[in-house]
Amino acid sequence: MAAIEKGVYTKLAEIYDEVMSEVDYDLWADYIDALMLQHHPDPKKIMELACGTGSLALSLDELECYEIWGTDMSSQMIEKARLKNKLRMCNATFSVMDFLDITMSEKFDVVFAVFDSINYLHTTDEVLRFLSECKKLLTPQSLLIFDFTTPINSEEAISYLHNEQGITNNNFRFYRSSRYNKEEQIHVNEFQIQQLAEDGKTILKEFRETHRQKIYTLRQMHDIIAQTDYEIKAQYDGFEFDEAHDESLRITMVLQCPSIQS
Ligand SMILES: C[S@@+](CC[C@H](N)C(=O)[O-])C[C@H]1O[C@@H](n2cnc3c(N)ncnc32)[C@H](O)[C@@H]1O
């Protein structure tokens, strides 16, 4: 059922945290925490979809206010999240799950998916399917929070994402090339990942992953949500509490579905 291509986030799991080392997940967790408190009277039980290696879920767990469950389609990413959960002595639960095929019936106060994960859904039908599947986890009071990046963000991001390279502490060398097709609104990141021997030079294995993301405007996202019975409680610009607008680079949506059967 997954919209994402096979093999994506398999080898990248080995180096994901280093590639993302400049992302401040503690700050992001504070933002999600503030959003939840703003829009829900008593958020306790929360589910992160597409949690990756669990960095955000673990930062939220360390606030000691939530019972948190993280899920992701990639077993390799979840393996890393479980390891970090143990090392950081956290209490989050992690499991493998495709958010287009939600298999649990438990309900959560807040369900969220961040860091462009929704941009892996390439068609209106896939986003509609995501919104429909999420209902399995929600009550009429629950919040569904997700972010997405916009065409302006992709146009700007090319300058720092394209031709990025680095060597990780666990002896992987990576190259990233990045391109954006304006007409199709498709952003492609290609990763070439080389596993090096202890001498730091000899290449033991080489892998490639191609990540294709559909980039949405605010208006396109509105048109999709309008086809559902979700209500938009808020839409925020970046990591602020200001209203999202046509020039926003990243938009965080806060939805609720009061018509869900509880
Ligand atoms: C950009 S990463 C973000 C990971 C994490 N949220 C973070 O902030 O670091 C996108 C994640 O979405 C996950 N993903 C993509 N499609 C998915 C799907 N259909 N179901 C569950 N996870 C999915 C990928 O496996 C990957 O871990």
Side-chain angles (χ1 to χ4, degrees), residues 66-106:
Y66 301 111
E67 184 190 325
I68 181 153
W69 198 330
T71 59
D72 196 281
M73 204 186 62
S74 158
S75 58
Q76 291 84 349
M77 297 291 266
I78 288 295
E79 203 180 303
K80 298 285 173 198
R82 286 181 176 146
L83 201 67
K84 282 157 64 179
N85 193 35
K86 222 180 202 171
L87 288 173
R88 286 166 66 166
M89 292 190 282
C90 287
N91 293 307
T93 305
F94 289 101
S95 50
V96 176
M97 190 173 76
D98 179 351
F99 60 41
L100 291 182
D101 189 13
I102 290 177
T103 47
M104 55 175 84
S105 53
E106 236 171 289

Side-chain angles (χ1 to χ4, degrees), residues 135-154:
K135 288 186 188 172
K136 294 177 181 168
L137 307 171
L138 304 173
T139 70
Q141 292 75 37
S142 307
L143 303 175
L144 173 63
I145 299 175
F146 63 88
D147 70 9
F148 63 97
T149 56
T150 65
I152 305 177
N153 180 67
S154 279

Side-chain angles (χ1 to χ4, degrees), residues 22-258:
E22 282 175 22
V23 178
D24 190 337
Y25 283 101
D26 286 342
L27 211 64
W28 207 329
D30 289 344
Y31 181 63
I32 297 293
D33 180 42
L35 273 188
M36 294 194 285
L37 294 172
Q38 172 97 1
H39 294 286
H40 192 284
D42 189 24
K44 285 269 177 299
K45 219 172 139 193
I46 64 180
M47 154 71 75
E48 182 176 6
L49 302 171
C51 69
T53 59
S55 301
L56 180 61
L58 295 175
S59 292
L60 278 163
D61 185 75
E62 282 166 356
L63 299 178
E64 295 186 357
C65 309
Y66 301 111
E67 184 190 325
I68 181 153
W69 198 330
T71 59
D72 196 281
M73 204 186 62
S74 158
S75 58
Q76 291 84 349
M77 297 291 266
I78 288 295
E79 203 180 303
K80 298 285 173 198
R82 286 181 176 146
L83 201 67
K84 282 157 64 179
N85 193 35
K86 222 180 202 171
L87 288 173
R88 286 166 66 166
M89 292 190 282
C90 287
N91 293 307
T93 305
F94 289 101
S95 50
V96 176
M97 190 173 76
D98 179 351
F99 60 41
L100 291 182
D101 189 13
I102 290 177
T103 47
M104 55 175 84
S105 53
E106 236 171 289
K107 305 288 181 193
F108 295 84
D109 298 318
V110 181
V111 174
F112 63 98
V114 296
F115 212 165
D116 325 343
S117 302
I118 300 312
N119 292 102
Y120 281 95
L121 301 174
H122 282 210
T123 61
T124 297
D125 280 353
E126 284 169 0
V127 181
L128 287 173
R129 167 123 199 152
F130 166 75
L131 293 171
S132 165
E133 285 294 296
C134 284
K135 288 186 188 172
K136 294 177 181 168
L137 307 171
L138 304 173
T139 70
Q141 292 75 37
S142 307
L143 303 175
L144 173 63
I145 299 175
F146 63 88
D147 70 9
F148 63 97
T149 56
T150 65
I152 305 177
N153 180 67
S154 279
E155 282 164 40
E156 287 186 9
I158 289 298
S159 63
Y160 56 85
L161 294 180
H162 186 54
N163 281 338
E164 188 200 10
Q165 50 182 295
I167 294 198
T168 65
N169 289 329
N170 55 350
N171 259 1
F172 283 86
R173 182 160 53 207
F174 70 91
Y175 301 93
R176 171 179 11 206
S177 67
S178 193
R179 59 184 189 275
Y180 178 58
N181 182 320
K182 240 175 161 178
E183 283 67 45
E184 293 176 11
Q185 292 179 226
I186 296 286
H187 194 134
V188 180
N189 282 298
E190 276 183 286
F191 290 91
Q192 182 186 357
I193 304 165
Q194 295 170 338
Q195 188 170 7
L196 304 177
E198 282 195 1
D199 63 9
K201 289 182 193 143
T202 314
I203 300 168
L204 296 177
K205 281 183 191 160
E206 188 162 312
F207 313 90
R208 281 173 196 269
E209 286 194 15
T210 302
H211 294 225
R212 283 189 184 79
Q213 288 174 290
K214 170 81 181 181
I215 307 302
Y216 294 95
T217 63
L218 181 57
R219 184 169 301 195
Q220 287 167 333
M221 194 53 78
H222 279 175
D223 288 346
I224 297 174
I225 295 168
Q227 297 177 46
T228 72
D229 46 0
Y230 279 93
E231 290 176 5
I232 299 178
K233 291 209 69 167
Q235 49 187 27
Y236 294 116
D237 177 26
F239 299 102
E240 306 294 333
F241 278 91
D242 299 331
E243 178 88 0
H245 49 81
D246 289 341
E247 309 293 306
S248 296
L249 302 180
R250 175 183 299 280
I251 296 173
T252 303
M253 306 295 299
V254 182
L255 308 186
Q256 202 166 41
C257 193

